Amino acid sequence: MAGDLGMMPGMTAVLVIEDDDRIRLALLLALEDEGYDAVGAATAEEGLRVQRRNPADYVLVDLMLPGLDGFECIRHLRRDDDVPVVVVSARDDTHDIVAALEAGADDYVVKPVAIKELTARLRALRRRARAGVAGSAPEPVPVLAFGELEISPDGGEVRRAGQPVPVTRTEFRLLCELAEHAGRVLSRQQLLQRVWGYDSGDERLVDVHVGRLRQKIESDPATPRHLVTLRGLGYKLQR
Amino acid sequence: MAGDLGMMPGMTAVLVIEDDDRIRLALLLALEDEGYDAVGAATAEEGLRVQRRNPADYVLVDLMLPGLDGFECIRHLRRDDDVPVVVVSARDDTHDIVAALEAGADDYVVKPVAIKELTARLRALRRRARAGVAGSAPEPVPVLAFGELEISPDGGEVRRAGQPVPVTRTEFRLLCELAEHAGRVLSRQQLLQRVWGYDSGDERLVDVHVGRLRQKIESDPATPRHLVTLRGLGYKLQR
DNA sequence: AGATCTATGACAGTTGCGTGACAAATCCGC
DNA sequence: GCGGATTTGTCACGCAACTGTCATAGATCT
């Protein structure tokens, strides 16, 4: 599993204990996009073992797990460790919520949950927990990666092969918009609307900025590898 | 107003800021049934006044309030106080949730909420908050380092290459705000809000103070290495 | 070949930012 | 209280960077 060995220094590590492979994978990928070092476990037992050997900064845990269930899992986590625990469950009964929090969980969210909400809750939790813990890791800055191209929407910077690329505000917004919908075509109209806020206008404007952006982020701007044109449709950013 | 004077000693006090009389009353009664000392306020302004004069242990706040809204209310609470804040709102957009947590809320629940869940969340929050307070006194002050630049938020001092740098209070707060979100761009608006508490105002003010700060902390203020400008976006502090 | 669609270079108008000057407000020792 | 020193916020100016438009050349489809 990604990042299992080689936990990056300076990154915040999150352990996801969830038996459904699809959901676990989706969570792991989303967390990594947000700049976390995410590790998965399919059962409570495995999760506890991983956490003991290689403690994460946060644990996300499902309630319905084969074998040891979520509640037991939380109690075990609480026994060894003071790691913040967030329950991510499909059930939204008050009874479950209360039981999980009583068992020692710090928060409880109901699936499906937006990744942005989840990370906002992790940050809120960190703010609370940090008062106590001395050298807690700094908040990770999310980075979207496209091959050697790295875009950090929050950091306001773009790097190519690790080197910072100076882009203007408009270019940056355009790039972020494309990056957030990576792999999908966005029409000039859509881009005008989302980047410029124009409801109508000259679509050539988009071309010009795409062109300037290519000069900066593509190694060979004439034959773009990431920021590609789809004739008659628009542009897309791809890996 | 219930329990306004005569806050019971030994009881946990909760302040409920909610403009709907029916909901506020219901919450107050339910909380009192659960053994809390509950106090109500119908507006953010009133709530802030009450909290300043007679601080509760927790604050519950609605988002949609007349006058000063919930988000602003949270920021004001956070500025003078470290009281745990739980948002109780009818809205369940991810966007609102994230914004409220970013503003400084500790938790967010959607109305209607079971009183049992609410109190369970308050208890979970208390457990977390207390963990912090336990080691409060002997806790070594965390020092944030940016290359040769060192900032100790609690100690109120800044050093460059070991040498103390005299910064004014405003400069210090600005620097801390940037340091706490190291690597992220903060817009002038955000800085005005977080450092000065202004909800609106002349953004050039930020420029001026950033400029003065740079004169002190950068070895070559004309080409800053740490406190950098992102044209059109804002400022950020980086390593 | 003709008709579209797209890339790109040049240019002028605009915007954003850094800076120094200055007055009001605040702090501080006495 | 009081007077000087420090800090704070406002303003205006000028430079550098950015933006949007246009014209032209190139590419791609039918």
Side-chain angles (χ1 to χ4, degrees), chain B residues 159-212:
Chain B
R159 276 190 296 272
R160 197 178 80 198
Q163 295 298 314
V165 176
V167 292
T168 69
R169 194 180 36 209
T170 310
E171 286 159 8
F172 186 70
R173 280 213 292 245
L174 176 58
L175 187 54
C176 285
E177 194 58 43
L178 288 161
E180 278 178 22
H181 301 89
R184 290 167 186 266
V185 199
L186 296 179
S187 69
R188 290 166 172 66
Q189 274 301 330
Q190 287 176 308
L191 290 169
L192 268 182
Q193 198 148 64
R194 298 184 192 179
V195 177
W196 282 268
Y198 296 173
D199 297 331
S200 68
D202 187 357
E203 302 191 340
R204 311 308 307 284
L205 177 57
V206 181
D207 299 21
V208 173
H209 283 273
V210 166
R212 288 173 181 157

Side-chain angles (χ1 to χ4, degrees), chain B residues 84-101:
Chain B
V85 174
V86 177
V87 172
V88 181
S89 170
R91 298 196 289 200
D92 69 345
D93 294 0
T94 294
H95 189 264
D96 283 327
I97 298 178
V98 172
L101 294 172

Side-chain angles (χ1 to χ4, degrees), chain A residues 167-168 170-178 186-189 191-192 195-196 203-218 220-222 224-230 233-237:
Chain A
V167 294
T168 70
T170 310
E171 287 159 7
F172 184 69
R173 293 213 181 118
L174 176 57
L175 187 53
C176 285
E177 194 58 43
L178 288 161
L186 295 179
S187 70
R188 294 167 217 284
Q189 276 301 329
L191 290 169
L192 269 181
V195 177
W196 281 267
E203 301 192 340
R204 300 292 115 229
L205 178 57
V206 180
D207 299 23
V208 173
H209 283 274
V210 166
R212 297 207 251 248
L213 199 42
R214 284 212 265 244
Q215 296 298 325
K216 298 180 179 179
I217 64 172
E218 294 281 358
D220 178 9
R225 295 174 47 78
H226 299 299
L227 180 38
V228 298
T229 303
L230 296 170
L233 299 176
Y235 298 99
K236 79 170 173 180
L237 192 65

Side-chain angles (χ1 to χ4, degrees), chain B residues 5-101:
Chain B
L5 306 176
M7 269 200 192
M8 299 282 207
M11 286 179 81
T12 304
V14 181
L15 168 61
V16 179
I17 307 179
E18 159 72 62
D19 63 323
D20 185 316
D21 292 344
R22 291 239 307 284
I23 297 178
R24 188 178 63 247
L25 263 216
L27 274 173
L28 290 176
L29 289 177
L31 285 167
E32 285 181 355
D33 272 355
E34 293 286 322
Y36 290 89
D37 182 10
V39 183
T43 66
E45 290 84 350
E46 185 190 345
L48 291 170
R49 207 162 45 237
V50 170
Q51 179 64 9
R52 205 149 22 223
R53 210 187 46 208
N54 203 354
D57 301 300
Y58 300 95
V59 177
L60 305 186
V61 56
D62 188 17
L63 279 190
M64 284 178 289
L65 293 169
L68 210 63
D69 76 4
F71 299 107
E72 289 305 326
C73 183
I74 296 168
R75 287 193 198 97
H76 280 88
L77 283 167
R78 265 284 158 281
R79 190 144 32 235
D80 4 292
D81 201 349
D82 198 39
V83 63
V85 174
V86 177
V87 172
V88 181
S89 170
R91 298 196 289 200
D92 69 345
D93 294 0
T94 294
H95 189 264
D96 283 327
I97 298 178
V98 172
L101 294 172

Side-chain angles (χ1 to χ4, degrees), chain A residues 4-187:
Chain A
D4 195 354
L5 307 176
M7 272 199 191
M8 298 278 209
M11 285 180 83
T12 303
V14 181
L15 169 61
V16 178
I17 308 179
E18 159 73 61
D19 62 323
D20 184 317
D21 291 345
R22 291 240 306 284
I23 297 178
R24 189 178 62 246
L25 261 218
L27 275 174
L28 291 176
L29 289 177
L31 285 167
E32 285 181 357
D33 271 354
E34 293 289 323
Y36 291 88
D37 184 9
V39 184
T43 65
E45 289 84 350
E46 185 190 346
L48 291 170
R49 204 162 50 238
V50 170
Q51 180 64 9
R52 205 151 19 225
R53 206 189 50 206
N54 203 353
D57 301 299
Y58 300 96
V59 177
L60 305 185
V61 55
D62 188 18
L63 279 189
M64 285 178 291
L65 293 168
L68 209 62
D69 76 5
F71 299 107
E72 286 305 324
C73 182
I74 295 169
R75 288 195 195 91
H76 278 88
L77 283 167
R78 268 283 160 280
R79 195 150 27 234
D80 323 330
D81 201 346
D82 197 39
V83 64
V85 174
V86 176
V87 172
V88 180
S89 168
R91 297 197 291 201
D92 68 345
D93 295 0
T94 294
H95 188 264
D96 283 327
I97 298 176
V98 172
L101 293 171
E102 291 297 338
D106 290 286
D107 203 343
Y108 188 113
V109 297
V110 177
K111 281 188 280 198
V113 60
I115 186 68
K116 294 287 182 194
E117 174 180 345
L118 197 50
T119 56
R121 284 184 181 274
L122 290 182
R123 283 194 294 277
L125 214 44
R126 185 188 72 113
R127 206 174 44 228
R128 254 316 141 200
R130 193 177 49 173
V133 187
S136 62
E139 182 61 19
V141 180
V143 171
L144 304 169
F146 297 84
E148 78 285 356
L149 192 66
E150 294 175 332
I151 306 163
S152 147
D154 290 357
E157 70 174 354
V158 178
R159 276 193 295 266
R160 198 177 80 198
Q163 292 300 311
V165 177
V167 294
T168 70
R169 177 184 44 175
T170 310
E171 287 159 7
F172 184 69
R173 293 213 181 118
L174 176 57
L175 187 53
C176 285
E177 194 58 43
L178 288 161
E180 277 176 22
H181 303 88
R184 293 168 188 269
V185 199
L186 295 179
S187 70

